[in-house]
Amino acid sequence: MRLGKHLAHAGIASRRASEALVADGRVTVDGAVITDPARDVTGEEAIAVDGELVRGPGARVVYALHKPAGVVSTAADTHGRRTVVDLVPTGQRLYPVGRLDAESTGLILLTNDGDLAYALTHPRFEVPRTYRARVNGRPSERALRALREGVVLDDGITAPAQVRMVSAHEIELTIHEGRKHQVRRMCEAVGHRVIDLRRVAFGPLRLGDLTAGRHRRLTAAEVQRLRDSAREPQPRP
């Protein structure tokens, strides 16, 4: 197995983040620094990250968390802020699947399964995420149509989104991309600043009645549905 993938399976980080750890020279194999994430390992070697030995892969788990405002979507924070990992004290080494900005709330997944995290967040798999955005002003049909067709941001035009009005000042958007602050920037691009943003679904999984700050472990059936949602898309005719 490749070294980067082995680290992801062991719950060190997502596959991409594990590969970055190797490339940065932070990983040793039998005492030698390795910088090639594609280096083959058997798992019998003494593999360490920042001098700490890596244990073999344990049971794969996925948790759903209702992230409150003010909590950051990282495994650790250099400024001492609470993280999503702090809210799921399982004793396992978990990391978030994608991110929500600090002031946004709602559904975020945490796991030690690097392959699943990679599949759920890689753009080519187009796993949908659904948000409820409370905005200033009442969006017009023209604004909604622009969101559905794609709006121009400083990093390019967005892919078409599914959009519907929930109430006079709240819209629901489903997108398949994961750009930074994307929903906030999309709404501002059509003239409506986001006042409150909550993610209500990730792929087939919905937030439901999970209250802010609470978490639950997903069932095997729920995890399988997430895996199914991240299958390679078929070419369009």
Side-chain angles (χ1 to χ4, degrees), residues 67-95:
K67 188 187 90 65
V71 175
V72 295
S73 300
T74 56
D77 183 67
T78 55
H79 301 290
R81 294 172 295 181
R82 278 200 310 168
T83 73
V84 289
V85 172
D86 294 332
L87 299 183
V88 188
T90 66
Q92 295 164 297
R93 189 164 188 169
L94 303 175
Y95 45 89

Side-chain angles (χ1 to χ4, degrees), residues 171-228:
I171 56 179
E172 183 177 276
L173 303 92
T174 299
I175 62 175
H176 298 82
E177 301 173 289
R179 305 189 205 180
K180 188 174 182 179
H181 303 310
Q182 181 172 341
V183 172
R184 293 182 184 274
R185 291 191 294 142
M186 288 173 66
C187 291
E188 287 186 10
V190 297
H192 297 279
R193 182 175 57 86
V194 172
I195 299 169
D196 182 72
L197 184 64
R198 177 167 48 105
R199 184 193 283 159
V200 296
F202 196 130
L205 190 70
R206 297 198 66 84
L207 180 63
D209 57 4
L210 193 64
T211 56
R214 301 299 296 243
H215 68 275
R216 68 177 182 85
R217 181 172 173 175
L218 300 191
T219 66
E222 288 174 320
V223 174
Q224 187 58 53
R225 287 199 294 273
L226 284 172
R227 293 189 193 283
D228 291 344

